[in-house]
């Protein structure tokens, strides 16, 4: 069965539609209203081998928090919907991702329990106008909607661009591994409880 989903979420603050194919080729997002965040979403699609189509607009005259957080929520909803009962998945995945001077780590458990541990020291200085503190809000929205446990750490680094990008690449590869079908147990749900909710 195809693991695809489409979710639209419209509020007074944002209007977002995302189409996701978990078993894609890494086709990206195209345009996103915040340049650096678009770069991160394209990177996420490419390294996760997810096909991702995003249409998003929001109240950027307020600030970037609503749009970035809500994009995380809708992306998480797409993951939950595309996964269904999670039959056959590996369930757990992790990645250490080096990018020049930066080292990031991600570990994911598609457990049905939402939990984010986020440990990243950023300068707080915007990247071409991108408010970098919203990166944590994005991932909090994502794990809550997807019901995934995710640990994200930037272990070292200097450049905020590298730190955030390495984190998205690590997260994409950890999720790709966790969500892949394990051919040795393709028909079972990977929990002794028999369900992953
Ligand atoms: Mn880059």
């Amino acid at each position: 069965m195809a693991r695809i989903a489409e979710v639209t979420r419209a509020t007074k603050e944002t209007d977002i539609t995302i189409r996701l194919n978990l078993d894609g080729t890494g086709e990206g997002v195209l345009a996103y209203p915040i340049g650096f965040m678009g770069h991160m979403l394209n990177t996420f699609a490419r390294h996760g081998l997810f096909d991702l189509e995003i249409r998003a607009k929001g109240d950027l005259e307020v600030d970037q928090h609503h749009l970035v957080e809500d994009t995380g929520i809708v992306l998480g909803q797409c993951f939950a919907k595309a996964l269904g009962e999670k039959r056959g998945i590996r369930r757990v995945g992790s990645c250490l991702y080096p990018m020049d001077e930066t080292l990031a780590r991600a570990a994911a458990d598609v457990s049905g329990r939402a939990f984010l541990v986020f440990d990243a020291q950023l300068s707080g200085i915007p990247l071409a106008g991108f408010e970098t503190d919203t990166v944590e809000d994005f991932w909090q929205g994502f794990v809550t909607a997807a019901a995934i446990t995710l640990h994200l750490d930037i272990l070292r680094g200097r450049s905020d661009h590298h730190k955030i990008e390495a984190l998205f690449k690590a997260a994409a590869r950890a999720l790709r591994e966790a969500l892949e079908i394990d051919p040795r147990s393709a028909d079972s749900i990977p929990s002794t409880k028999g369900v992953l909710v």
Side-chain angles (χ1 to χ4, degrees):
M1 224 172 68
R3 300 194 300 171
I4 56 176
E6 177 171 338
V7 174
T8 296
R9 182 176 183 272
T11 71
K12 287 181 179 166
E13 295 168 348
T14 63
D15 186 348
I16 299 166
T17 297
I18 299 182
R19 286 156 67 131
L20 169 73
N21 179 0
L22 288 179
D23 304 298
T25 58
E27 284 301 310
V29 180
L30 310 175
Y32 187 82
I34 304 164
F36 187 81
M37 194 60 200
H39 178 36
M40 291 305 99
L41 291 164
N42 273 308
T43 289
F44 179 76
R46 176 57 57 92
H47 284 262
L49 294 180
F50 310 124
D51 290 344
L52 201 55
E53 218 178 284
I54 300 184
R55 286 201 307 278
K57 54 187 179 191
D59 55 354
L60 293 176
E61 71 283 2
V62 176
D63 68 6
Q64 297 174 358
H65 171 83
H66 294 149
L67 185 63
V68 175
E69 180 179 50
D70 289 1
T71 301
I73 291 170
V74 178
L75 186 64
Q77 289 173 336
C78 277
F79 270 73
K81 196 171 168 184
L83 275 168
E85 62 173 358
K86 302 165 188 159
R87 187 171 295 275
I89 64 169
R90 296 188 191 279
R91 180 177 161 175
V92 170
S94 61
C95 179
L96 266 181
Y97 201 101
M99 223 180 135
D100 298 347
E101 88 296 346
T102 292
L103 184 64
R105 179 176 61 200
D109 179 13
V110 185
S111 57
R113 298 188 302 278
F115 207 103
L116 176 69
V117 177
F118 187 90
D119 187 357
Q121 305 295 322
L122 299 169
S123 71
I125 300 165
L127 289 170
F130 174 61
E131 297 155 14
T132 58
D133 71 314
T134 61
V135 171
E136 182 170 354
D137 305 322
F138 172 87
W139 287 111
Q140 184 63 64
F142 175 83
V143 302
T144 302
I148 286 174
T149 292
L150 190 59
H151 289 239
L152 296 176
D153 300 271
I154 294 168
L155 302 175
R156 66 175 72 95
R158 178 195 57 79
S159 154
D160 281 348
H161 187 124
H162 282 170
K163 287 179 179 178
I164 296 168
E165 186 166 339
L167 200 65
F168 271 85
K169 287 174 172 172
R173 286 177 179 268
L175 287 166
R176 169 178 155 191
E177 182 182 318
L179 303 180
E180 264 172 0
I181 303 296
D182 182 344
R184 294 181 62 193
S185 60
D187 288 329
S188 64
I189 291 170
S191 168
T192 53
K193 286 189 291 187
V195 290
L196 274 176
V197 288

